[in-house]
Amino acid sequence: MKYQVDSGQIFITLARGDFINKSLEAVAVKEKLTSGWVHGLGAIDYCELGLYAFENQSYIKKEFLDEYELVNLTGNITLKDGNPFIHSHITIADRQFSAMGGHLFDGKISAAGEFVIVPGNIQITRKFDQNIGLALWCLGEKNA
Amino acid sequence: MKYQVDSGQIFITLARGDFINKSLEAVAVKEKLTSGWVHGLGAIDYCELGLYAFENQSYIKKEFLDEYELVNLTGNITLKDGNPFIHSHITIADRQFSAMGGHLFDGKISAAGEFVIVPGNIQITRKFDQNIGLALWCLGEKNA
Amino acid sequence: MKYQVDSGQIFITLARGDFINKSLEAVAVKEKLTSGWVHGLGAIDYCELGLYAFENQSYIKKEFLDEYELVNLTGNITLKDGNPFIHSHITIADRQFSAMGGHLFDGKISAAGEFVIVPGNIQITRKFDQNIGLALWCLGEKNA
């Protein structure tokens, strides 16, 4: 994994075998990010996806072991327990070009992995919400 | 719904029960946005999607009533009839991780809803195009 | 195709019949971009998608000839052989709202086509990687 810091964007390239969330989190730690948005695309040969089932307050999980195009990664960086944390969702496509998607626990790059982080200047912390069963963003400034 | 204005990005968190387009439009109105791009992810338990059928110049519509991961929202803010207007498309995934998508009329958050708006400084207006049957962007500066 | 350069974003609208990658590349050439990220949505009536099969180091390709919502385009701009080059992946949805996706060779707009480029200031070059079989980003500044 290599990355380059530009004004307003951090460009990141992952190599075959690199894990996505783990790598993006390493950048966030090294650059001391406290908020930000993440986009990406590439090709993977492993991922574990989740769907959040509200009634059980837990994730239905599934591992995908074939080759897929990583059609889109959408995610963000916040602080969880004081450390940079990546929350990302992905869309993947198989050899028939059928798309699947979900919450990304993590996935492994097979060919290219091209990502960008758009860092924020504010601090967004996550706090566990009892009613939802997830650690949600704490933002207090404005209500619309 | 809560949001926080950062330099170059507006971070928005929606709560269970919040409607996506309605909430994003409320932010755009409050912040007097005249252009911008929107990204998001989360989980929903309702949405109405559309596919634009050019031959009829109308949308085929369908409501989705189960729980889905909101894998990606991609949208933009422009001015329509003088007011901020959200045009967004979403990709969702069901319990089998199959992905569906389309034009988003609106959708309702079930668990998390995390969004960012990247405001523009220019004014983009939409004007109804007779040949297409939709209100399209008016941009006049450059042709490539 | 028309576009307008804002501070930090280039807003682009494509018309019915415009090719996506070809048009985005024309903007990148005209604006002398050396890096950047691309997002978009719209509606298409043609595209050719690919899945990269690592074992053969070649793309499985398929043409899509019906009307589809362009649910998401995610891509980037880099320099390949000294010229601006678009690498993009798309997610599309059909009349049943089923999503498909893959590497975009190119696609043709049927109704709206709304895109944004977020230009970078750095120069990212692509170089052919023998092990992967693709031209990958060259970034050298930092390793995490």
Side-chain angles (χ1 to χ4, degrees):
Chain A
M1 190 261 280
K2 289 179 177 178
Y3 71 97
Q4 197 163 346
V5 180
D6 195 0
S7 53
Q9 298 185 89
I10 301 173
F11 293 95
I12 303 153
T13 178
L14 302 192
R16 181 171 169 81
D18 284 345
F19 279 86
I20 298 170
N21 280 348
K22 192 184 165 188
S23 300
L24 295 173
E25 225 159 65
V27 174
V29 167
K30 206 154 180 186
E31 296 299 321
K32 298 183 174 59
L33 303 183
T34 58
S35 62
W37 209 265
V38 188
H39 308 283
L41 81 172
I44 63 172
D45 53 14
Y46 168 80
C47 69
E48 187 179 24
L49 299 185
L51 174 126
Y52 191 67
F54 186 75
E55 71 278 17
N56 306 320
Q57 302 214 341
S58 66
Y59 280 99
I60 301 166
K61 296 181 177 186
K62 185 178 176 183
E63 289 186 312
F64 293 78
L65 304 172
D66 202 354
E67 281 190 319
Y68 303 95
E69 288 290 301
L70 173 57
V71 183
N72 172 267
L73 176 140
T74 301
N76 54 63
I77 295 164
T78 53
L79 296 175
K80 196 174 172 183
D81 305 324
N83 302 310
F85 170 78
I86 301 283
H87 178 212
S88 64
H89 285 191
I90 62 171
T91 309
I92 59 176
D94 65 16
R95 284 159 198 265
Q96 284 73 45
F97 302 98
S98 292
M100 289 145 290
H103 173 93
L104 178 65
F105 288 102
D106 215 342
K108 194 156 61 69
I109 296 298
S110 62
E114 301 167 358
F115 299 87
V116 71
I117 296 174
V118 183
N121 298 304
I122 63 169
Q123 189 167 313
I124 302 178
T125 54
R126 285 186 183 272
K127 198 179 154 186
F128 188 76
D129 182 304
Q130 294 281 358
N131 294 324
I132 301 297
L134 293 170
L136 302 179
W137 287 15
C138 293
L139 287 181
E141 206 180 89
K142 291 190 175 185
N143 296 282
Chain B
M1 190 259 282
K2 289 181 176 177
Y3 70 98
Q4 197 164 344
V5 180
D6 196 359
S7 54
Q9 298 186 90
I10 302 174
F11 292 94
I12 303 154
T13 178
L14 302 192
R16 180 171 169 81
D18 284 345
F19 279 86
I20 297 169
N21 280 348
K22 193 183 165 189
S23 300
L24 295 173
E25 225 158 67
V27 174
V29 167
K30 206 155 183 182
E31 297 299 322
K32 299 183 172 59
L33 303 183
T34 59
S35 62
W37 209 263
V38 188
H39 309 282
L41 81 173
I44 63 172
D45 53 16
Y46 168 80
C47 68
E48 187 179 23
L49 299 185
L51 175 127
Y52 191 67
F54 186 76
E55 71 278 16
N56 306 319
Q57 301 213 343
S58 66
Y59 281 99
I60 301 167
K61 296 181 177 188
K62 185 177 178 184
E63 289 186 313
F64 292 79
L65 304 172
D66 202 354
E67 281 190 320
Y68 303 94
E69 288 291 302
L70 173 56
V71 183
N72 171 267
L73 177 140
T74 302
N76 54 64
I77 295 163
T78 53
L79 295 175
K80 195 175 171 183
D81 305 323
N83 301 310
F85 170 77
I86 300 283
H87 178 212
S88 63
H89 285 191
I90 62 170
T91 309
I92 60 175
D94 66 15
R95 285 159 197 266
Q96 284 73 46
F97 301 97
S98 291
M100 288 144 291
H103 173 93
L104 179 66
F105 289 101
D106 216 342
K108 195 155 61 70
I109 296 297
S110 61
E114 303 168 355
F115 299 87
V116 71
I117 297 175
V118 183
N121 299 304
I122 64 169
Q123 190 168 311
I124 303 177
T125 54
R126 285 185 184 272
K127 199 180 155 187
F128 187 77
D129 182 305
Q130 295 281 1
N131 294 323
I132 302 297
L134 293 169
L136 302 180
W137 286 14
C138 293
L139 286 182
E141 205 181 271
K142 291 191 175 185
N143 298 281
Chain C
M1 190 262 281
K2 289 180 178 178
Y3 70 97
Q4 197 163 345
V5 180
D6 195 359
S7 54
Q9 298 186 91
I10 301 173
F11 293 94
I12 303 154
T13 178
L14 302 192
R16 181 172 169 81
D18 284 345
F19 279 87
I20 297 170
N21 279 348
K22 193 184 165 188
S23 301
L24 295 173
E25 226 159 64
V27 174
V29 167
K30 207 155 181 184
E31 297 300 322
K32 299 183 174 59
L33 303 184
T34 57
S35 61
W37 209 263
V38 188
H39 310 282
L41 81 172
I44 63 172
D45 53 16
Y46 168 80
C47 68
E48 186 179 24
L49 300 185
L51 173 126
Y52 191 67
F54 186 76
E55 72 277 17
N56 306 321
Q57 301 214 342
S58 66
Y59 280 99
I60 299 167
K61 295 181 178 186
K62 186 178 176 183
E63 289 186 313
F64 292 79
L65 305 172
D66 202 353
E67 282 191 319
Y68 303 94
E69 289 291 302
L70 174 55
V71 183
N72 171 268
L73 177 139
T74 302
N76 53 65
I77 295 164
T78 53
L79 295 175
K80 196 175 171 182
D81 304 323
N83 301 310
F85 170 77
I86 300 284
H87 178 212
S88 64
H89 285 191
I90 63 170
T91 309
I92 60 176
D94 66 16
R95 284 159 198 267
Q96 284 73 45
F97 302 97
S98 292
M100 287 144 293
H103 174 93
L104 179 65
F105 288 101
D106 215 343
K108 194 156 61 70
I109 296 298
S110 62
E114 302 167 356
F115 299 87
V116 70
I117 297 175
V118 183
N121 298 304
I122 63 169
Q123 189 168 313
I124 302 178
T125 54
R126 284 185 185 272
K127 199 179 155 188
F128 188 76
D129 182 305
Q130 295 281 0
N131 294 324
I132 301 297
L134 293 169
L136 302 180
W137 286 15
C138 294
L139 286 182
E141 204 181 89
K142 290 190 175 186
N143 297 280

